[in-house]
Amino acid sequence: MNTQFVRIDLTADEDEQQIFDTINSLGVSLTTSELLKNYFFNRDTVAEYDAKWSSVFEKDEETKAYWDQEIETGRVRRAMIDIFFDAFFQMFTQDKKYPISSEDRISYNRLDRLALSYQHFINTYCNGDKSVVLDKLKPYATRFQEIFRPEYCNMSIPASGGIERLNIVIFGLKTTTLIPYILFLAQNVTDPNTLNKMYGILESYMMRRMVVHASSKNYNRVVYSLILNAVKDPESLYVFLTKNEDASTYFPDDEELLNGFQHSRLTNLQTRGILYLLESYVRPANTATTLFGFDGYSLEHLMPKKWRNNWSPCGTEELARQRDIALLTLGNLAIIPQSLNASIRDGNWDVKLSGKGNKPGLKECAAGLSTMYDVLQKESWSENDIDLRARWLFENAKKLWPLM
């Protein structure tokens, strides 16, 4: 492969940053981190670059691989380093000591101009002093790399609140909007027990809302408010989340949670996350069955969608319609580490449990899963069984995700 290089010689009074930006504006857009690196450093600040950037983001191949990995955020994929700079920016824009105008706050929320927002913020609110941001860059980036680990989705997690479980919520369930506030907590709260309590409250809040199928469109607003108000203890966090009665940000109560387990029809990803986090909680500490990582499980309908092929018919079309709805709810869904063969998946209950020929059924594929509690001993499976299991899941969920 032939590679061509272009050399541009500058005189002493020419601004290499301005030339760089001009050239870039005519070609392929650079990432936020590339633009910021060019903004913060030049040929006169090589030592500062080595100390505050290279030692953090380019220390070795493993470090570079971490920051370069792309994560799905909403409808786009973004490099981890750009996700960090978005979260890091909130440490400044949500700090009350900076009198940021409402107009600027709106502008600063645009991800497509984040690098320009950094420049505008420093010039407008820091008298052009880049050190205000640069002096905090290394400690925040180091902490970010320690706590945000997508690989937790491939690892067993503990039974109660902690950063490992929140990594599943963030990366497994694609709720990266939590990152700025969690980064704020990790950098400003030193007691690990306090942190874990707050992580548990955040998990409860997010998962209760997921079970009841509540909207996620205003999570950014909640996260920014938590940072702006410097919420750094469990009691204040709980009060902040529960006092809000806005339908788009409220903390669902137990009655709504039960209704969610009985009636919500969620995406496969959401359902898998709910059941996985419950599985990690309810399984006995001394069980011989290994808990795989979140990505190691697939979703299975206990009563299949194609029940009409091999299951007893309903008495009326209305009952059949009700069954079609019930089988999509949480009580009829399970996580298993091995997908069933299609012929088993759509078979009658006996075939579904025991398998057929050399093709295993649920008794083999779901053995040892605590969220299957007595399912594998059932002689039949019906709408009533779906409701009973939904109630059992709810009883455990309200203990795992308490209202305090």
Side-chain angles (χ1 to χ4, degrees), residues 236-254:
S236 298
L237 175 60
Y238 178 74
V239 169
F240 182 95
L241 293 175
T242 54
K243 73 177 182 182
N244 196 334
E245 297 181 356
D246 188 322
S248 64
T249 54
Y250 77 108
F251 205 135
D253 61 23
D254 286 349

Side-chain angles (χ1 to χ4, degrees), residues 193-303:
N193 291 327
T194 299
L195 270 177
N196 284 337
K197 287 180 182 177
M198 299 186 78
Y199 292 157
I201 293 171
L202 288 172
E203 180 186 332
S204 295
Y205 175 73
M206 298 298 292
M207 298 311 296
R208 277 178 175 259
R209 288 184 59 82
M210 189 171 292
V211 171
V212 305
H213 212 188
S215 171
S216 61
K217 67 179 182 179
N218 285 323
Y219 284 160
N220 275 336
R221 190 179 72 190
V222 174
V223 165
Y224 296 162
S225 294
L226 288 167
I227 300 172
L228 182 66
N229 291 285
V231 177
K232 295 186 287 188
D233 65 86
E235 293 75 20
S236 298
L237 175 60
Y238 178 74
V239 169
F240 182 95
L241 293 175
T242 54
K243 73 177 182 182
N244 196 334
E245 297 181 356
D246 188 322
S248 64
T249 54
Y250 77 108
F251 205 135
D253 61 23
D254 286 349
E255 182 179 352
E256 291 170 289
L257 187 66
L258 173 58
N259 186 67
F261 273 100
Q262 291 176 312
H263 302 294
S264 290
R265 287 174 283 176
L266 308 173
T267 67
N268 285 355
L269 183 66
Q270 291 171 328
T271 301
R272 190 157 55 92
I274 291 164
L275 294 175
Y276 178 77
L277 291 172
L278 276 169
E279 175 66 34
S280 69
Y281 171 71
V282 300
R283 64 201 290 99
N286 59 351
T287 182
T289 305
T290 300
L291 177 68
F292 299 133
F294 171 70
D295 288 342
Y297 292 93
S298 59
L299 199 64
E300 183 67 31
H301 290 76
L302 300 178
M303 180 185 292

Side-chain angles (χ1 to χ4, degrees), residues 144-194:
F144 185 100
Q145 188 176 359
E146 290 172 355
I147 62 175
F148 295 111
R149 310 296 306 191
E151 63 266 28
Y152 277 125
C153 291
N154 295 308
M155 300 164 59
S156 178
I157 60 171
S160 57
I163 196 61
E164 299 91 346
R165 296 176 66 87
L166 274 185
N167 270 275
I168 304 300
V169 177
I170 292 167
F171 298 114
L173 298 180
K174 306 185 191 313
T175 52
T176 54
T177 47
L178 285 176
I179 287 177
Y181 180 57
I182 295 173
L183 177 61
F184 170 83
L185 288 180
Q187 191 64 20
N188 292 281
V189 179
T190 57
D191 178 56
N193 291 327
T194 299

